[in-house]
Amino acid sequence: MPVKNIAIACQGGGSHAAYAAGALPVLLPQFRNAELATSEGRAMLAQEPGEVLRLTGISGTSGGAISALLAWYGFLLGGPQAAKAGLERFWDANCAIAPGERLLNDIGQWAGSLAQVDLKLSPYLSPLREIETFATATWPMLTAMWPPLGGWIRGPYFQLRESIAPHVDFDLIGAIGDFCSIPREIKRWQAIALEARMADAPPERERLQARQAAIEHDLRARLASGGWIAAWSEAHELAPGTLLRTTFDGLQLPELRFEPDALGSLAHAVRDAARSLPQLLIGAVDIDSGAFVAFSSERAPIDAGITLDAVVASACLPWVFMAQSIQALDPETHEPRRMVCWDGLFSQNPPIKNFVSSGVDPVKKPDGLWILQINQDRYDFSGKVAGPGSAQSGDELWHRRDTLSGNLSLNQEVAFIEAVNARLDDPGQRFRPHDKPIEVVRIVLDGEAVGGAVRKELGLFSKFDRDPQLAQALLAHGREQAGRYLALRAQSGALWEALAGQVGMMGARPSDRLAQAMPYLPGHARMAGGLVAPDVITIEGAGQASLRWHASEAEVEGHLVRMKGSTLLRMGEEGWSLAETRLLDVEERVAPAATAGQGEAAAGPTPAARRRVGGARKGDGSETSLH
């Protein structure tokens, strides 16, 4: 029973994040976390053919953070159906429903369509300061004093905090963070114990002893959170088979003793108990330091854990809302400090690298990453003409700038994953036991399809559009795109083998060295034909997808080469099929004999050794098509 870890990342984009809310309920039923949390469940899954998927994490930024939060919360408490219900409740309530709400929404969209310049406004200055105060404080007070006003515009309509809070119990989330952060606190205690050995002066020893005592007190409190969660689950009548109850009912941990071996056993037991709980990450940026922040469900609320403040901060656009102050601990001194955070669109959109960072439980590192992408990489900007020549309008420039900035960090992190994948498949590279290749899937919102459904063009200002028709179209499109990917995934084995056959038609075959190293390469089972490894699958619009792949070491006409390619896929009545394949890069490698006597296989390509191999010309940016 091979278990494959999958992380899901939800890109932010205001109202467009309803797309992720449609896709997530389609994807979540694929995961078997609750069964994997028990020995009986694992024994049952062992009898089933094929691989078993475990959701190892969900991340999100801005509107994507809200969808990720609600999906994660529902998945823990009631499974995919509870996640679906929570997502739909929030996005339905977020829409402009009352007459005054619809009127304001229409006026805002009309005014946005007329804006041709970049507005330099600040919520700290007039007039936005007074507008925000009236909308978020004065109007809710008026509706409370005279309820009929709420029939025109609901009191919490402008309040993101009050819109999120009813759907989630943040006390429960804090308790989960307290429990999962126990291994982190144990590491801190052990680090101080070692540091104390160097302390000569009595004041320094006393300071360290005081810090140890504080951590010891904190650890005792955090251990109690496991029982609190079990009691909460019973009081709220969660079904026995739900992930939260499965994890915490009957939980037994080693006795807390402040000895190195005992603490190590406790940390291991906590990680093992929480292994089936997916991690939730929410992206923001610390505006004082410029550092990216990923609030985590595996951290305590006082230490950059998941809180209502953190969720609001992730969606805090600086030209609309004031920055949010967040409680955290200094990573070096471990002393309390305050962070002032802005919208995560300025940082990781969405967080990805934290899923594979060195501090993660190695067993929970993902084998695959599914990205619910709001901003399209391709955009026909050249056809958008306003006025004479090729001068684009201001709203078009805003839209393209927003798209580029939203995808900047995402594309960089995906490119890094591709580079690491290629190194891990290289028979001449050494790897650590916990390193693994990660297959990336980008399930992209098709703006033209959604725009056609609602008869309006999607752009920058439609991300502020709270039209119920748009929300329903985005939810439906998310379900459709997620279903397309799952259909492609079901056929992927046959498709990749067919692709390997195409590559073989060029005369490419696995090198002898690669064939010998194959059993020892991480993730070798994904290499179709023993040669072709998928890197990034992108589900685009109109039943079309693309695959970026590589062959780390192929032999073609007596030459060892590294190959990169891109293959187009199309969905028809009988499912997905391969279309056009293009070679993007063919790079000659050093023959193994050139490094004989060095005790290991060749580890890299020749310096700038590019040539025409198998009909593929490289070095001048050209591409060769295969059919």
Side-chain angles (χ1 to χ4, degrees):
M1 179 197 67
V3 177
K4 188 172 184 179
N5 292 335
I6 302 295
I8 300 178
C10 306
Q11 193 176 47
S15 297
H16 292 186
Y19 166 74
L24 285 165
V26 178
L27 300 176
L28 290 177
Q30 308 301 311
F31 302 107
R32 313 293 291 274
N33 290 50
E35 293 96 321
L36 289 169
T38 65
S39 57
E40 296 83 0
R42 291 191 293 270
M44 179 188 67
L45 293 176
Q47 307 302 317
E48 297 184 7
E51 62 188 11
V52 174
L53 298 187
R54 172 168 53 198
L55 181 63
T56 193
I58 305 180
S59 70
T61 293
S62 192
I66 299 173
S67 289
L69 166 70
L70 297 174
W72 174 84
Y73 186 78
F75 186 72
L76 262 60
L77 272 62
Q81 285 303 315
K84 180 176 185 289
L87 287 163
E88 291 180 351
R89 278 197 304 269
F90 172 82
W91 286 104
D92 287 346
N94 186 66
C95 292
I97 300 172
E101 297 167 2
R102 293 197 297 270
L103 177 61
L104 285 178
N105 188 68
D106 290 343
I107 292 174
Q109 290 299 301
W110 172 77
S113 67
L114 297 179
Q116 299 293 309
V117 296
D118 194 351
L119 301 178
K120 303 294 185 182
L121 300 175
S122 168
Y124 296 91
L125 302 174
S126 298
L128 281 188
R129 180 179 60 187
E130 287 75 20
I131 293 174
E132 182 180 9
T133 299
F134 178 81
T136 61
T138 307
W139 182 257
M141 180 184 66
L142 293 175
T143 58
M145 294 172 59
W146 192 37
L149 283 176
W152 176 249
I153 298 177
R154 290 167 292 167
Y157 178 72
F158 302 105
Q159 296 178 300
L160 181 60
R161 182 181 300 272
E162 282 66 23
S163 298
I164 297 171
H167 301 276
V168 176
D169 188 333
F170 282 95
D171 289 336
L172 173 64
I173 295 178
I176 294 172
D178 282 335
F179 179 81
C180 294
S181 64
I182 288 173
R184 181 185 299 273
E185 287 300 293
I186 288 175
K187 288 175 63 176
R188 287 175 174 169
W189 187 92
Q190 292 171 332
I192 294 172
L194 293 175
E195 186 180 348
R197 298 180 182 180
M198 301 185 298
D200 296 328
E204 181 65 11
R205 284 198 301 271
E206 292 175 1
R207 183 184 69 84
L208 293 173
Q209 289 171 357
R211 286 179 59 188
Q212 275 189 301
I215 293 176
E216 291 170 5
H217 178 270
D218 199 31
L219 275 172
R220 292 188 180 93
R222 296 190 189 200
L223 275 173
S225 61
W228 187 93
I229 295 170
W232 188 98
S233 302
E234 185 175 354
H236 288 77
E237 300 181 345
L238 298 189
T242 57
L243 181 54
L244 196 69
R245 289 205 66 167
T246 301
T247 301
F248 290 97
D249 277 2
L251 176 68
Q252 294 185 354
L253 298 175
E255 180 185 356
L256 176 61
R257 291 184 291 111
F258 292 96
E259 301 170 2
D261 290 342
L263 288 174
S265 297
L266 176 59
H268 176 78
V270 170
R271 280 194 294 265
D272 188 59
R275 191 151 287 156
S276 293
L277 296 178
Q279 181 184 25
L280 173 65
L281 295 172
I282 290 179
V285 63
D286 183 347
I287 65 175
D288 290 328
S289 65
F292 296 171
V293 180
F295 298 100
S296 171
S297 63
E298 296 184 350
R299 300 180 75 115
I302 62 170
D303 185 20
I306 303 296
T307 63
L308 181 56
D309 287 340
V311 180
V312 173
S314 182
C316 181
L317 287 171
W319 51 86
V320 179
F321 303 109
M322 297 182 183
Q324 298 292 308
S325 180
I326 309 291
Q327 177 68 48
L329 297 181
D330 188 278
E332 294 185 2
T333 66
H334 304 157
E335 297 295 330
R337 69 183 182 96
R338 301 294 296 183
M339 292 188 299
V340 181
C341 294
W342 260 347
D343 196 302
L345 294 175
F346 293 91
S347 60
Q348 296 168 280
N349 186 21
I352 292 176
K353 68 180 181 181
N354 305 78
F355 287 131
V356 296
S357 61
S358 58
V360 175
D361 180 357
V363 180
K364 294 182 72 172
K365 284 188 177 181
D367 302 281
L369 174 67
W370 298 353
I371 302 170
L372 299 176
Q373 183 173 331
I374 301 294
N375 297 313
Q376 295 175 257
D377 289 301
R378 296 191 180 97
Y379 181 73
D380 185 16
F381 190 66
S382 60
K384 309 291 185 178
V385 179
S390 59
Q392 276 74 27
S393 62
D395 58 331
E396 290 292 341
L397 288 169
W398 283 20
H399 175 48
R400 191 54 184 152
R401 186 183 67 179
D402 176 69
T403 300
L404 290 172
S405 62
N407 286 346
L408 180 61
S409 62
L410 171 62
N411 291 335
Q412 288 176 335
E413 294 192 31
V414 170
F416 175 76
I417 291 174
E418 287 187 80
V420 172
N421 286 348
R423 289 178 66 88
L424 293 175
D425 289 337
D426 187 338
Q429 294 287 346
R430 297 179 177 181
F431 60 91
R432 295 175 297 179
H434 297 306
D435 286 338
K436 59 173 70 174
I438 299 175
E439 294 180 17
V440 179
V441 178
R442 301 169 76 147
I443 307 174
V444 185
L445 184 152
D446 182 357
E448 292 186 3
V450 177
V454 296
R455 298 182 180 179
K456 62 176 70 172
E457 186 173 354
L458 267 60
L460 173 61
F461 286 100
S462 65
K463 293 182 177 181
F464 300 91
D465 191 351
R466 298 169 73 171
D467 180 5
Q469 185 182 6
L470 175 61
Q472 291 303 314
L474 287 163
L475 287 165
H477 184 62
R479 291 190 288 267
E480 183 180 26
Q481 289 290 80
R484 285 172 173 166
Y485 167 63
L486 293 181
L488 174 58
R489 185 176 182 275
Q491 297 179 246
S492 59
L495 291 170
W496 302 167
E497 288 296 334
L499 173 60
Q502 282 189 349
V503 176
M505 291 172 62
M506 298 188 311
R509 68 172 186 84
S511 69
D512 293 339
R513 184 173 66 156
L514 180 59
Q516 293 173 1
M518 185 67 67
Y520 310 103
L521 294 177
H524 62 84
R526 73 195 183 103
M527 297 178 68
L531 181 64
V532 179
D535 284 318
V536 180
I537 305 167
T538 302
I539 306 298
E540 300 168 355
Q544 181 171 297
S546 62
L547 168 70
R548 284 211 305 271
W549 53 268
H550 76 270
S552 61
E553 187 169 287
E555 185 175 328
V556 181
E557 299 178 355
H559 298 277
L560 290 180
V561 297
R562 175 183 285 125
M563 307 169 68
K564 291 183 180 179
S566 176
T567 298
L568 184 67
L569 303 102
R570 289 196 175 93
M571 189 176 190
E573 294 182 357
E574 299 182 357
W576 288 92
S577 60
L578 299 181
E580 185 179 69
T581 292
R582 294 183 178 275
L583 288 183
L584 305 179
D585 188 33
V586 180
E587 184 175 354
E588 188 170 1
R589 295 177 53 83
V590 174
T595 56
Q598 296 182 10
E600 59 181 24
T606 56
R610 303 281 176 118
R611 64 173 64 217
R612 186 179 179 86
V613 180
R617 187 180 65 216
K618 289 307 299 173
D620 58 358
S622 63
E623 300 172 342
T624 298
S625 296
L626 300 175
H627 299 278

